[in-house]
Amino acid sequence: EFGEIRDFHGTEQNVFREYEKFYRIPPQQKKKQKATDLSDVIDFSNIEANTAKNKSLIIEIETPRGFHSGQYDATKVKAYSIQNVPGLCFIPNPFTPDQQRFWIQRILQDFTVGNPTNVSNLQKIETGQPEVFWTEWKSDYKAALRWATVGYHFQWSHRLYSDAHRGEFPKDLGELCSDLAHHVGLDIIPEAATLNFYPNPKQSMSGHRDDAEDDMSKPIVSISFGNSVIFLIGGKTRDVAPVAFFIRSGDVVIMGGESRECYHAVPRMLGETIPEFLLAENSPENWRIFAEYIA
């Protein structure tokens, strides 16, 4: 039970940050330290495994019938929302094993290395020149890769997008995001994407809002591959207690409506939760270099 969390209001730090601290991996695991209680984390992949409280928060969304997409298995699509989090939609993994491998390879090889307009944090390591194209999959840099951008490149220092920093947005990625949004009644023509990489299970994403876009009425489509994580989404201020749910490999989170302006975070990755079909010993030969990276 989360009695201590319900008392976070009135503490010196904000409520959202206290939830982040609660779920984050302790810096040093003590012998008698209790494992973090994850019973209140919503699991959309196994609805029946949820507590009665969690089940009462889950709302199933009706999705279009007869809808087809070549980017994923549209026949597998189910969608859910969470009570009191307007506009948030969750689609449990709609990808086949081959499709997951395809998209991971596209992200690592084509969108990050093979995109002539690519921008990533690795360019700063190599040359200090953000406009220089990273041309090779360098094993020494695998652990250092943290982000890459396609389409409009987000300017981290100024927190904005501009025509002066823009590349080509991958057509198939645009179709994928548009089709997924269509399942929950939203329309989007993607123009920018940030690809986040977490090579170490101890890494996390701190609480923030995505508020740099000119048109905040358009949803964010987020797709995850690899280890499972715990995702938090709160309100428009850090004083609102967030809801926690699991994201597993292939899961899709769509933030539209009011949820588009909400604080969210990934305080914890759950190590060794990568699906077996993504590991080298269970995959085609040409997949091994990518399996070694995500393992």
Side-chain angles (χ1 to χ4, degrees):
E1 293 183 5
F2 291 159
E4 58 180 311
I5 288 185
R6 296 191 186 101
D7 292 335
F8 282 162
H9 292 280
T11 59
E12 292 184 2
Q13 294 185 331
N14 61 65
V15 177
F16 192 97
R17 187 167 298 153
E18 292 300 323
Y19 272 81
E20 289 183 273
K21 289 169 59 179
F22 178 82
Y23 285 113
R24 192 174 295 134
I25 298 175
Q28 186 174 1
Q29 195 76 28
K30 298 178 182 178
K31 289 184 179 180
K32 295 184 178 180
Q33 186 172 4
K34 294 182 180 179
T36 305
D37 184 356
L38 304 182
S39 61
D40 269 18
V41 182
I42 295 174
D43 188 349
F44 289 105
S45 298
N46 187 354
I47 301 297
E48 292 306 313
N50 286 277
T51 63
K53 173 187 173 183
N54 283 356
K55 287 181 182 179
S56 70
L57 298 176
I58 299 172
I59 303 170
E60 186 166 0
I61 302 172
E62 185 175 351
T63 59
R65 295 184 179 181
F67 183 74
H68 300 283
S69 173
Q71 313 298 342
Y72 57 93
D73 186 355
T75 63
K76 293 177 60 177
V77 171
K78 287 188 176 181
Y80 303 93
S81 62
I82 300 175
Q83 189 176 351
N84 299 325
V85 188
L88 179 78
C89 304
F90 187 99
I91 299 177
N93 173 35
F95 302 96
T96 65
D98 283 342
Q99 288 168 338
Q100 284 207 33
R101 287 190 287 264
F102 168 82
W103 283 111
I104 292 172
Q105 184 169 343
R106 283 284 281 155
I107 292 165
L108 290 172
Q109 180 172 284
D110 302 327
F111 299 164
T112 303
V113 180
N115 181 352
T117 61
N118 171 64
V119 173
S120 81
N121 67 299
L122 291 184
Q123 290 154 336
K124 297 179 181 179
I125 295 173
E126 275 194 284
T127 65
Q129 301 296 321
E131 70 275 9
V132 175
F133 172 43
W134 176 44
T135 58
E136 299 177 19
W137 178 251
K138 300 185 177 182
S139 59
D140 292 344
Y141 287 168
K142 288 180 183 178
L145 177 62
R146 295 305 307 273
W147 58 264
T149 56
V150 294
Y152 279 95
H153 301 298
F154 185 59
Q155 304 302 292
W156 300 92
S157 298
H158 303 289
R159 300 197 74 255
L160 56 80
Y161 296 92
S162 72
D163 287 331
H165 300 87
R166 182 183 184 182
E168 181 180 356
F169 194 91
K171 181 180 179 182
D172 58 353
L173 181 61
E175 292 174 350
L176 171 66
C177 294
S178 294
D179 287 351
L180 289 168
H182 176 76
H183 278 288
V184 295
L186 297 173
D187 293 318
I188 183 175
I189 301 176
E191 296 180 308
T194 299
L195 315 174
N196 294 309
F197 303 91
Y198 301 90
N200 188 319
K202 292 184 179 180
Q203 292 170 336
S204 60
M205 180 178 70
S206 299
H208 68 285
R209 297 196 308 155
D210 295 312
D211 56 3
E213 292 75 22
D214 291 335
D215 187 355
M216 293 286 288
S217 68
K218 299 300 181 182
I220 290 175
V221 178
S222 176
I223 307 167
S224 300
F225 296 107
N227 278 311
S228 301
V229 301
I230 294 175
F231 187 92
L232 300 179
I233 184 161
K236 296 181 181 180
T237 71
R238 294 180 185 270
D239 296 327
V240 178
V243 176
F245 56 85
F246 293 110
I247 297 178
R248 296 188 169 86
S249 190
D251 288 347
V252 181
V253 177
I254 300 176
M255 298 171 62
E258 290 186 29
S259 72
R260 180 68 174 76
E261 302 180 48
C262 292
Y263 278 91
H264 52 282
V266 178
R268 186 167 186 171
M269 183 190 300
L270 305 175
E272 300 182 352
T273 55
I274 296 173
E276 290 188 2
F277 60 79
L278 293 181
L279 300 177
E281 58 268 25
N282 301 301
S283 304
E285 183 66 30
N286 63 354
W287 170 254
R288 292 186 181 275
I289 185 174
F290 305 103
E292 291 171 1
Y293 171 75
I294 66 172

